[in-house]
Amino acid sequence: MSENKSFYITTTLPYLNADPHIGHASEFIQVDIIARAKELQGFEVFFNTGTDEHGLKIYRKAFNVNMDIRDYVDLYVLRFKALKEILNLSYTNFIRTTDQKHILAAQAFWNVCLKNGDIYKKEYKAKYCVGCEMEKHDSELENNRCFLHPNLELEIIEEINYFFRFSKFQEPLLKLYRENPDFVIPSVRLNEIKIFVEMGLEDFSISRLKSKMPWGIDVPNDPDHTMYVWFDALVNYISAIGWPENNKEFERWWPVTQYAGKDNLRQQSAIWQAMLMSAGLPASKQIIIHGHIISEGKKMSKSLGNIIDPIKLVEIYGTDAFRYYIAREVSSFEDSDVTLEKFKEAYNANLANGLGNLVSRIMTLAETHLENPVTIAEREDMSEYFAIINNFEINKATEYIWVKIGELDREIQEKKPWETKDKEVITSFATKLYSIARMLNPIMPSTSTKIKELIKRNKKPDEPLFLRKD
């Protein structure tokens, strides 16, 4: 397969300090949809995900629940790996930052940056948010608390650490953004990171004293220090594809398309890109930034009682119904308000009464009036649909399908084939339904397969594809 037909995409790696939540599920499904769409277009896809297992908040969480740190991360990894089947994910690689292969790559990356003069040692004093695992400046604080984690007290860190020479890369980063206007999507996030970089960059600490933070990757040739969690974790994007020991495999897949939440914008589109520059490696291909999922206008939290468990939703409605909701009802780029009532309304209106009813009507007509299954074209022009999804506009791509569903439904009402029994018209309906099923493949893969099998067998469904929920 030619080089331009290789496509590498990755999620961020979730921290193992909590169970999988709907935000994780949303990002995984969005990336899965893009990966499946690329495969439909003939690309060979490397889809990476995994778990970020080092850092202070994971170390403290294990301590608080009285578990050995290794037992703790091993337990939570299983919960994230279980999402592959629960959400029907098609990823090809699952990396753990505790994997020996990754540890060696992170240390090799450190040594390259050190050799290139971008790592040095100095005294460190800073306000630190454990929730973000990042240093915070006064402009990022309100009432001396982090905007993102107002429930956590800031910690003052004073020690001698290793630093990354981030300030060196202000102009190279701005040049990267200028020359690649689609480097960060949506454009509002690109403008946001441009402003951040234009304001000037400060070198940041990339190690912690091992006596205070023993749970991390050892700094090469300095056993008294462990790597700062972000410096370690970001390297997974290249260690996953063979860097540094397998250059052929690395070049086959790089550069990567990265998905991340808006609270990861700085780390993914500035810090990581500067680290790549320091190591003499090409920048990422694109950074796709999505919003957060909130409920009833508020951030989800146990104390507010508005947590939505994706696993329970799948148990009630099914995997494809959940994938549909993420694809169509959750914004591709902005925050989305999700409630159980909104989910049920969308399910009943658009799946039970919409797609499911359409399939039942058409296939009942086909089974009754057609002697043989319709002839399906081996290939079909789906360029209009792919043009939308290739811009990562998953909402619009899903809406495009539902417009087709609506048009087909109206055509059935107008032509009344149950009265005319016109075989040509019914054949046309079944053929159009097959086209819809093809487009559904990345979004609702199981449903897509079911519909196509019904058409190929010329059979109506034995039971509704989506049972209405009261």
Side-chain angles (χ1 to χ4, degrees), residues 45-314:
V45 175
F46 189 97
F47 173 4
N48 180 59
T49 189
T51 44
D52 182 357
E53 302 180 25
H54 294 126
L56 192 57
K57 59 184 176 182
I58 292 176
Y59 180 73
R60 288 183 177 172
K61 186 64 181 289
F63 178 82
N64 289 338
V65 296
N66 197 30
M67 284 185 70
D68 174 81
I69 182 67
R70 185 74 209 196
D71 291 342
Y72 174 87
V73 296
D74 286 348
L75 173 65
Y76 274 81
V77 162
L78 293 177
R79 297 177 185 179
F80 279 89
K81 282 190 171 182
L83 293 179
K84 184 167 191 178
E85 181 177 352
I86 293 167
L87 303 178
N88 194 6
L89 304 176
S90 61
Y91 61 76
T92 48
N93 188 69
F94 189 101
I95 189 168
R96 300 179 61 177
T97 56
T98 53
D99 291 339
Q100 188 62 23
K101 175 183 171 183
H102 172 75
I103 291 170
L104 294 174
Q107 291 174 327
F109 192 91
W110 177 289
N111 283 332
V112 173
C113 296
L114 179 67
K115 181 180 177 182
N116 291 337
D118 296 323
I119 293 178
Y120 65 96
K121 221 173 186 180
K122 77 168 186 177
E123 188 174 352
Y124 177 51
K125 182 176 181 180
K127 296 175 180 178
Y128 189 77
C129 172
V130 175
C132 294
E133 297 271 17
M134 289 191 72
E135 177 184 341
K136 294 292 175 176
H137 302 291
D138 288 342
S139 61
E140 301 171 285
L141 305 176
E142 184 175 334
N143 298 322
N144 206 37
R145 299 278 181 113
C146 168
F147 291 137
L148 299 176
H149 300 93
N151 58 316
L152 298 178
E153 287 189 18
L154 292 173
E155 300 191 8
I156 305 300
I157 295 180
E158 292 186 71
E159 57 189 47
I160 295 177
N161 286 171
Y162 287 93
F163 275 70
F164 178 69
R165 212 177 293 277
F166 193 34
S167 57
K168 171 182 171 180
F169 297 96
Q170 180 180 16
E171 286 307 316
L173 285 170
L174 292 174
K175 183 173 183 286
L176 172 66
Y177 306 148
R178 284 194 303 270
E179 293 179 352
N180 299 274
D182 295 326
F183 182 69
V184 178
I185 294 176
S187 58
V188 65
R189 301 300 175 200
L190 179 62
N191 292 333
E192 190 178 324
I193 198 62
K194 278 182 182 176
I195 291 169
F196 168 75
V197 175
E198 285 169 350
M199 289 173 63
L201 302 176
E202 294 185 14
D203 299 350
F204 61 89
S205 169
I206 56 170
S207 76
R208 298 290 181 264
L209 282 174
K210 195 169 186 176
S211 58
K212 296 181 181 179
M213 223 323 287
W215 181 241
I217 296 176
D218 288 346
V219 168
N221 302 314
D222 192 339
D224 293 333
H225 285 260
T226 53
M227 286 187 197
Y228 167 58
V229 62
W230 277 106
F231 196 90
D232 143 29
L234 290 165
V235 176
N236 95 86
Y237 301 135
I238 57 174
S239 67
I241 53 170
W243 191 92
E245 75 280 359
N246 192 338
N247 198 51
K248 184 178 180 182
E249 189 71 1
F250 172 75
E251 291 181 353
R252 175 188 177 194
W253 296 111
W254 195 258
V256 64
T257 297
Q258 299 171 218
Y259 257 76
K262 63 182 183 179
D263 54 341
N264 267 223
L265 174 65
R266 185 185 308 180
Q267 294 92 319
Q268 308 293 335
S269 60
I271 290 175
W272 173 228
Q273 304 312 314
M275 289 167 59
L276 287 167
M277 291 173 183
S278 172
L281 297 173
S284 300
K285 183 178 182 179
Q286 278 184 302
I287 316 289
I288 317 303
I289 301 294
H290 60 79
H292 291 159
I293 293 182
I294 56 178
S295 188
E296 298 176 345
K298 299 174 183 177
K299 185 177 179 181
M300 291 187 189
S301 72
K302 290 181 180 178
S303 60
L304 291 174
N306 62 350
I307 293 287
I308 295 177
D309 183 348
I311 297 173
K312 287 184 179 177
L313 279 176
V314 169

Side-chain angles (χ1 to χ4, degrees), residues 384-415:
E384 196 172 294
Y385 168 71
F386 285 136
I388 302 170
I389 211 164
N390 287 344
N391 284 330
F392 308 98
E393 295 178 301
I394 296 171
N395 299 140
K396 287 186 179 179
T398 312
E399 184 64 31
Y400 178 90
I401 299 171
W402 253 259
V403 168
K404 297 292 184 185
I405 290 171
E407 289 173 351
L408 186 51
D409 207 27
R410 287 190 295 273
E411 190 178 356
I412 292 171
Q413 291 298 112
E414 291 166 4
K415 295 187 175 178

